[in-house]
C-alpha cells in the first residue's frame, strides 16, 4: 500500500506506482486540507471573480459566466480542452501522471472536491486506465492530457482498461483538475530515473574498458580531484577507484590515456550534477500546489499566479540531455580504442578467426547511429516560445518536449553503452585479466554469464539486447 500525503512524494515512489500493482490511499490530513480548500474557494467564488470558476479561461478571462450556464461551464471546459492528438501514452506514463496529480491535489491548493482525490486513488488501485493522447502541451499546463482524464472520470470518455463509476465534476472542479503539468512531470521523472541508472552503469562499463585498455590510474587520484572539487567529478573519480580497487594508484602503462579514460570524471561529473539538479527540481514540482488560481488555507485567500509555467523543469532537462550526450561521446571514443590493437594488444576489431574477420566492427556503426539520435535529442528546446490565446499567453517553456526528448536520449544512451559493454566483455574473454577481489569482477561475471561467449564472426543483435537490459543491474554494483 502507498499513501499519498501531498508533501513527501519521491521519484522512486512515482516509478513504483507506475510499474507495479500497488494499493493507493490518501492521507487523512491531506483529505482534510482538500476539503477545507474546496470550502474556502466555494465561499470566495460566491463573492468575487475567480478565474476559470466564475470566468472563462485564456483570452476569455474577462468574460463572466452567467448563472444559468454556470452548472455546465466546467463540463464545457473539459470537453473543449480534451483535444489531444497522436499516439496514446503508455500505461506507466498515465499511472505516473495520475499519481503526481493526486499528490498535488493532496497538497491542498487546487480547491477541487475531495471526491476527486478518492477517485484517482481508486483508479490507481484498480489498475483502470484512461485513454490519454501524447500531443497537446507546451509546458504551460498539460491541459489536453488532464482534460481527457477528467472526462473519463466523469463518464464521458471510454476507459482504455478497467472502469470506474462516473465521478461528479462541476464548474469548481474542471480547471482546478486540469491546472497542472502532471503528464510532463511523469515523463520527466521516469526519464530522470532511467538516466541516473545509466550514469551509474557507465562507471561500470568504463571500468571494464579501463581494464582492457590498461588505463592509467593517475587520472582518478584523490589529489587530482581535490584540486578541482566539483561534486559530480569527485564522486565519479571515487567510484572508479572503488570499482577498480585503487587504494594507492600504481603507475600506468602509458603516460597519458586517451580522453575516453583520462577525462571521464571531468565529463561524467557534469552529467551527475545535472541529474542531481533535475531530481531536485522534480521533487519540488511533484509536491507543489501548482494550480492557477491557487487556494491558500494559510492566507485564507485565492491567488492568481503563474505556477503553471515550468521554466525550471525545461532548462534542467535541457542541461541534463546535453551533459549525457558528452558522456555518450566518451563511450563511443572508448569503443574506438577497444578495436585498436595498439591499445589492447589484441587483433583489430577484436576479431578471432581467419584473416579478414570483422569481429565487432559493426558495433561502431550501431554506436554512432544511436549517438546521432542522442545528439538530436540533446538539442535545446527552450530557445523558442509560443504566443497563444490571442496574445494573452505569450510565453511557453516547452518542458513537455524537453521531457519527451529526455526519454529518447535515455534510449539512445542505453544503446551506446550496450555496444561498449559487448566489446569490453569480448576483449576480456580474449585476454583474461586478474580481477580478483575487486567490485568490477562482479560486473564481468554477470556480463559473461549473459552474453554469448562465441568470438566467431556472428550477428550481435541478441547480445546488444541483453547488454542493454543488463545495464540496470550493473548500475547497482
Amino acid at each position: 500500500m502507498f499513501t499519498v500525503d501531498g508533501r513527501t512524494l519521491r521519484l522512486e515512489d512515482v516509478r513504483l506506482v507506475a510499474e507495479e500493482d500497488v494499493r493507493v490511499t490518501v492521507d487523512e490530513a491531506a483529505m482534510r486540507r482538500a476539503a477545507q480548500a474546496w470550502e474556502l474557494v466555494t465561499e470566495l467564488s460566491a463573492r468575487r471573480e475567480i478565474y476559470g470558476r466564475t470566468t472563462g479561461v485564456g483570452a476569455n478571462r474577462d468574460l463572466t459566466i452567467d448563472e444559468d450556464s454556470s452548472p455546465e461551464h466546467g463540463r464545457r471546459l473539459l470537453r473543449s480542452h480534451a483535444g489531444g492528438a497522436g499516439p496514446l501514452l503508455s500505461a506507466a506514463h498515465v499511472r505516473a501522471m495520475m499519481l503526481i496529480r493526486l499528490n498535488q491535489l493532496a497538497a491542498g491548493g487546487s480547491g477541487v472536491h475531495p471526491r476527486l482525490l478518492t477517485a484517482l486513488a481508486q483508479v490507481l488501485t484498480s489498475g483502470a486506465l484512461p485513454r490519454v493522447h501524447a500531443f497537446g502541451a507546451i509546458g504551460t499546463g498539460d491541459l489536453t492530457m488532464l482534460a481527457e482524464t477528467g472526462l473519463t472520470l466523469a463518464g464521458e470518455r471510454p476507459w482504455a482498461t478497467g472502469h470506474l463509476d462516473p465521478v461528479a465534476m462541476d464548474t469548481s472542479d474542471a480547471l482546478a483538475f486540469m491546472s497542472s503539468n502532471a503528464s510532463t512531470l511523469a515523463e520527466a521523472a521516469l526519464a530522470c530515473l532511467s538516466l541516473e541508472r545509466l550514469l551509474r552503469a557507465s562507471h561500470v562499463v568504463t571500468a571494464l574498458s579501463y581494464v582492457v585498455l590498461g588505463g592509467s590510474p593517475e587520472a582518478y587520484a584523490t589529489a587530482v580531484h581535490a584540486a578541482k572539487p566539483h561534486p559530480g567529478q569527485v564522486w565519479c573519480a571515487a567510484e572508479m577507484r572503488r570499482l577498480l580497487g585503487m587504494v594507492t594508484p600504481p603507475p600506468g602503462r602509458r603516460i597519458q590515456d586517451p580522453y575516453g579514460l583520462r577525462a571521464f570524471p571531468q565529463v561524467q561529473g557534469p552529467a551527475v550534477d545535472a541529474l542531481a539538479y533535475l531530481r531536485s527540481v522534480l521533487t519540488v514540482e511533484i509536491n507543489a500546489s501548482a494550480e492557477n488560481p491557487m487556494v491558500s488555507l494559510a492566507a485564507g485567500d485565492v491567488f492568481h499566479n503563474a505556477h503553471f509555467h515550468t521554466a525550471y523543469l525545461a532548462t534542467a532537462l535541457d542541461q541534463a540531455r546535453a551533459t549525457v550526450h558528452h558522456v555518450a561521446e566518451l563511450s563511443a571514443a572508448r569503443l574506438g580504442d577497444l578495436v585498436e590493437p595498439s591499445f589492447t594488444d589484441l587483433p583489430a576489431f577484436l576479431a578471432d578467426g581467419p584473416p579478414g574477420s570483422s569481429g565487432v566492427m559493426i558495433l561502431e556503426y550501431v554506436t554512432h547511429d544511436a549517438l546521432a539520435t542522442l545528439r538530436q535529442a540533446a538539442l535545446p528546446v527552450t530557445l523558442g516560445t509560443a504566443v497563444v490565446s490571442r496574445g494573452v499567453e505569450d510565453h511557453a517553456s516547452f518542458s513537455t518536449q524537453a521531457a519527451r526528448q529526455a526519454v529518447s536520449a535515455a534510449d539512445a544512451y542505453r544503446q551506446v553503452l550496450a555496444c561498449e559493454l559487448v566489446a569490453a566483455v569480448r576483449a576480456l574473454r580474449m585476454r583474461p585479466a586478474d580481477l580478483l577481489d575487486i567490485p568490477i569482477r562482479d560486473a564481468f561475471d554477470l556480463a559473461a554469464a549473459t552474453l554469448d561467449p562465441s568470438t566467431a564472426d556472428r550477428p550481435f543483435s541478441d547480445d546488444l539486447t541483453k547488454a542493454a537490459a543488463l545495464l540496470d543491474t550493473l548500475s547497482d554494483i
Side-chain angles (χ1 to χ4, degrees), residues 10 26 32 35 40 71 102 104 132 144 202 226 323 389 402 404 406 411 421 435 447 450 459 465 475:
R10 304 173 306 149
V26 182
R32 287 195 296 271
L40 175 60
L102 173 58
Q104 291 175 328
V132 182
T144 61
S202 74
T323 54
S389 196
R404 195 176 295 151
D411 290 343
L421 177 60
L435 300 178
T450 301
T465 299
S475 69

Side-chain angles (χ1 to χ4, degrees), residues 165-460:
D165 290 337
V167 179
M169 292 193 73
D170 58 25
T171 294
S172 64
D173 294 325
L175 179 64
F177 183 79
M178 289 191 293
S179 186
S180 164
N181 293 281
S183 177
T184 297
L185 291 170
E187 190 161 29
L190 295 176
C192 179
L193 289 167
S194 294
L195 288 169
E196 285 178 338
R197 286 197 302 269
L198 291 171
L199 285 179
R200 290 195 300 271
S202 74
H203 288 95
V204 178
V205 176
T206 303
L208 288 170
S209 293
Y210 172 97
V211 174
V212 176
L213 298 168
S216 171
E218 291 181 43
Y220 309 114
T222 302
V224 169
H225 298 281
K228 196 174 77 166
H230 292 296
Q233 175 184 318
V234 169
W235 180 75
C236 174
E239 277 295 281
M240 292 296 289
R241 293 195 300 271
R242 179 185 68 84
L243 289 167
L244 293 163
M246 297 178 188
V247 180
T248 302
R253 62 185 282 188
R254 62 181 71 89
I255 292 179
Q256 289 197 143
D257 287 330
Y259 285 179
L261 293 178
R262 180 160 42 115
F264 181 66
Q266 289 83 357
V267 178
Q268 175 97 345
V272 171
D273 289 340
L275 266 293
Y277 176 64
L278 175 59
R279 172 181 277 269
S280 70
V281 168
L282 283 165
T283 301
V284 170
E285 294 279 352
I286 65 178
N287 288 288
S289 292
E291 297 81 15
N292 173 47
M294 185 195 78
V295 183
S296 171
L297 292 176
D301 206 348
V302 173
F303 296 90
H304 296 92
N305 65 84
H307 275 344
F308 53 81
H309 202 293
T310 48
Y312 272 104
L313 178 60
T315 53
L317 284 164
D318 271 6
Q319 181 184 22
R321 296 194 319 279
T323 54
V324 167
H325 172 252
H326 283 289
V327 176
E329 286 185 317
L330 283 194
S331 178
R334 288 190 299 272
L335 178 59
D337 297 337
L338 288 170
V339 302
E340 173 53 52
S342 64
F343 284 116
T344 64
D345 295 327
L346 291 168
F349 305 113
L350 305 178
D352 188 20
S357 295
S358 297
V360 299
M361 181 188 295
I362 198 64
L363 294 186
E364 287 191 284
Y365 293 80
V366 177
T367 291
H368 283 279
D369 185 350
L371 190 59
T373 299
L374 177 51
R375 187 177 302 116
Q376 292 300 310
L379 294 175
V381 302
T382 51
L383 298 183
T385 188
V387 179
V388 298
S389 196
R390 298 173 57 198
V392 171
E393 298 173 6
D394 50 8
H395 192 266
S397 73
F398 291 103
S399 62
T400 308
Q401 290 66 37
R404 195 176 295 151
Q405 292 294 78
V407 174
S408 297
D411 290 343
Y413 181 36
R414 182 179 295 274
Q415 193 60 69
V416 171
L417 282 177
C419 289
E420 182 184 359
L421 177 60
V422 168
V425 171
R426 179 186 175 102
L428 284 170
R429 280 185 169 132
M430 295 173 68
R431 196 194 67 212
D434 183 6
L435 300 178
L436 296 178
D437 301 325
I438 60 174
I440 199 62
R441 178 64 195 235
D442 294 335
F444 175 73
D445 288 345
L446 278 170
T450 301
L451 303 178
D452 190 334
S454 172
T455 55
D457 279 3
R458 58 183 177 80
F460 285 102

